[in-house]
Amino acid sequence: MMNQSSFVLSRNGSFRAENLGPNALAMIKNLCFTLFVVGVLVFTVIAATYQPEDPLFHPSSKITTFLTSNSNATFKSDVGVVKTGEDFVASNQTAFATFINITDVDSVRGTTLPEDPDAVTQTETSECRVDDPVNCRDPDVFHLLMKSTIEKFQDIHFYRFGKPVAGDNASSCHMAWRFRPKEGKAAAFYKDYRSFALVRSDNCTLSVAGIGDYHSGAKARKRRGKGRGKNREKDKEVFEKVPAKVEENPISLPEVGETVDDALPAVESEGSFGRGKYLIYSGGGDRCKSMQQYLWSFMCMLGEAQYLNRTLVMDLNMCLSKMYTSSGQDEEGKDFRFYFDFEHLMDSASVLDQNQFWSDWGKWQKKDGLSLHLVEDFKVTPMKLADVKDTVVMRKFGAVEPDNYWYRVCEGETESVIERPWKMIWKSRRLLDIASAISSRMNWDFDAVHVERGEKAANKELWPNLDRDTSPEALLSALKYKIEDGRNLYIATNEPDTSFFDPLKDKYSTHFLDEYKDLWNSESDWYAEMTKLNNGNPVEFDGYMRISVDTEVFLRGKKQVETFNDLTKDCKDGVNTCTSAS
């Protein structure tokens, strides 16, 4: 009798001995194909979910680490310039925009400016005299100015040119343009407007005799109309016959050099004021602390307002920590707008000035029955306040530190819920404009070195090598293979005596912040604008402003050499604190 095993073998011919080889080969092929399909699926999932290591898109925990130590929510005293939204945007984010070059200008030569009835080309003029006034609206004049500008400033990319206007005399024109430096880490667009001196030869050919300094062509500086909000129409200064080179920027960037409009917004009318919902933080221990702590707490408050869909009622009055003041004392009476871009904040979020708010609250609170919900414990999470119907939610902070710090609201379980909206806060464009002016005076063709000394260099316990590593001799040795001889070298430093760096003058053309005091002295545009902003009272160019401008010029250098990354092996925060980001 045939047993069971022999019966199975006889019924299933595929298991015959002569078929074992082909069957095994087929099984291997099927296995390989299955592995290939699985691999493709895994790769597809990874590719679809992978996010590049761009700091703009870092999760909040990484930004927390980037800004400060996250251990037990304490802050180190650091007088460096605070990171703001534009610092999380990589400088190459504007690479999508194609710049205007000489060939673009030549390709449209001879065309007429659109909607310009006064434009008359020289070829249409029957006669010409050498002393005839220059018609700045002549398209040929416009082409001449554009071409001369592109040829002169070879270290920047041009994205827009404004239509020229008549200058200070009959042989002068003013023209504006939008640009970015070819190199440097700062992510922004810039606007310059300059005066052009033109001369006419015996055969009436015009040429550019000279181009004025940064922002010398004030008549080409357009003023934006009133109105506020994300959809506000901004000036378009594009010559329409030049190919449209700039698409709408998907990532909002500062436009340095534009007119700043940071006047306080009017509180809404009676009806709409009562229908609004507001969030206020009152008191707290963040006052007069470092700018890092202030901003970290402020962004928590702004994040909660966004989460609750409420208008943030903020106090624009700030106290500047003594670490930034020349007096060595905490100084009250500073304005948020001195240091940050309030116009951008108003365009990005719903915010109101506290003084304005309370004035209108007093008018309508009793009449309209407006209510206030008081919260005196930071442990009451925003999630528990989401259903509060009262007109105002007020968080009141006590006197005991650190439990009265605003940022405590965003700790614990709230950390994963509240997102700090970094893109809404930028540095003051007035300060950035000073940095741009300094860069412009070096024709945007300079390298930069940051030399941190001061108290750190004197403290040999925490920074045993810093003093020696930042001496003139050590600097010359370190820069030898980093910066070419003869280059413009901007030195950003907290060393008060700049003559300390005199030995570097033998190899480089050295520049320091204090060489440019005219940009913020009593005769400057910055001084006039700040005095007007401060109700007619002069504003000091304080220590934090100096640090901010010094840092921004450093970032605009073609090459940047940093103290703790390039000059010394000491750690930024002292012995045994080095990290990959130090």
Side-chain angles (χ1 to χ4, degrees), residues 142-430:
F142 186 33
H143 296 137
L144 174 63
L145 299 187
M146 284 194 291
K147 192 168 183 177
S148 299
T149 302
I150 294 172
E151 289 175 343
K152 179 176 176 63
F153 302 107
Q154 298 185 4
D155 290 293
I156 61 178
H157 287 317
F158 297 89
Y159 294 92
R160 297 186 188 275
F161 282 99
K163 300 174 184 179
V165 298
D168 298 321
N169 54 54
S171 60
S172 169
C173 295
H174 290 183
M175 185 177 73
W177 56 81
R178 195 169 182 243
F179 71 97
R180 291 197 73 247
K182 291 182 179 179
E183 301 180 56
K185 292 182 179 179
F189 279 113
Y190 304 86
K191 184 179 180 181
D192 198 357
Y193 33 92
R194 301 209 183 198
S195 60
F196 291 76
L198 295 98
V199 295
R200 184 179 279 114
S201 64
D202 292 338
N203 65 357
C204 289
T205 301
L206 284 172
S207 60
V208 175
I211 302 177
D213 293 331
Y214 183 76
H215 284 190
S216 57
K219 293 183 179 180
R221 186 186 190 186
K222 288 193 175 182
R223 301 281 175 177
R224 284 179 291 180
K226 295 296 181 182
R228 193 169 304 286
K230 296 179 181 179
N231 298 319
R232 179 178 59 190
E233 183 69 18
K234 295 188 177 181
D235 289 331
K236 302 291 186 181
E237 295 184 331
V238 186
F239 176 38
E240 296 172 15
K241 292 297 183 180
V242 174
K245 291 287 185 175
V246 181
E247 303 173 5
E248 287 300 320
N249 189 0
I251 297 177
S252 182
L253 293 174
E255 294 186 3
V256 180
E258 292 281 6
T259 306
V260 179
D261 177 18
D262 52 9
L264 298 179
V267 178
E268 300 293 344
S269 61
E270 174 182 355
S272 57
F273 179 84
R275 290 194 300 270
K277 301 295 181 183
Y278 307 93
L279 173 68
I280 300 176
Y281 278 30
S282 176
D286 295 290
R287 201 164 188 82
C288 304
K289 296 296 192 300
S290 72
M291 198 66 82
Q292 277 84 352
Q293 175 165 340
Y294 169 79
L295 191 61
W296 187 244
S297 285
F298 177 82
M299 296 307 291
C300 170
M301 176 173 60
L302 184 58
E304 182 177 23
Q306 295 278 301
Y307 175 80
L308 296 176
N309 196 27
R310 289 176 174 268
T311 295
L312 177 63
V313 180
M314 58 178 289
D315 186 1
L316 290 176
N317 185 278
M318 295 176 60
C319 172
L320 188 66
S321 169
K322 60 186 177 182
M323 66 178 66
Y324 309 115
T325 65
S326 56
S327 65
Q329 302 295 321
D330 296 336
E331 294 182 2
E332 294 279 1
K334 303 294 182 177
D335 193 304
F336 181 91
R337 295 169 291 180
F338 293 175
Y339 310 102
F340 303 106
D341 188 343
F342 189 58
E343 180 182 9
H344 174 65
L345 179 60
M346 288 188 290
D347 285 347
S348 305
S350 180
V351 293
L352 283 176
D353 171 52
Q354 192 174 104
N355 292 332
Q356 289 180 308
F357 175 82
W358 285 125
S359 175
D360 270 53
W361 175 264
K363 293 178 184 177
W364 313 118
Q365 190 263 330
K366 290 184 179 179
K367 181 178 179 181
D368 294 345
L370 306 182
S371 56
L372 183 149
H373 182 86
L374 183 64
V375 181
E376 296 187 90
D377 187 349
F378 72 85
K379 295 178 183 178
V380 177
T381 67
M383 296 79 82
K384 294 179 180 178
L385 300 175
D387 295 327
V388 172
K389 304 300 182 183
D390 297 87
T391 307
V392 178
V393 169
M394 174 187 282
R395 284 192 179 273
K396 188 175 181 180
F397 295 83
V400 180
E401 298 186 21
D403 286 346
N404 63 354
Y405 293 159
W406 295 348
Y407 66 79
R408 299 301 302 271
V409 172
C410 295
E411 293 180 335
E413 62 178 311
T414 306
E415 184 177 6
S416 61
V417 178
I418 299 298
E419 294 185 5
R420 285 175 165 86
W422 294 105
K423 64 182 181 181
M424 294 182 180
I425 191 80
W426 289 348
K427 299 180 185 70
S428 163
R429 280 182 289 143
R430 293 187 179 94

Side-chain angles (χ1 to χ4, degrees), residues 462-498:
L462 293 178
W463 297 276
N465 306 299
L466 184 59
D467 185 29
R468 182 191 67 238
D469 291 342
T470 56
S471 67
E473 297 76 16
L475 289 173
L476 284 169
S477 177
L479 297 177
K480 182 177 180 180
Y481 301 104
K482 299 178 184 293
I483 308 294
E484 295 179 9
D485 291 3
R487 292 281 294 159
N488 282 321
L489 181 64
Y490 185 84
I491 302 178
T493 183
N494 61 346
E495 175 61 47
D497 182 11
T498 56

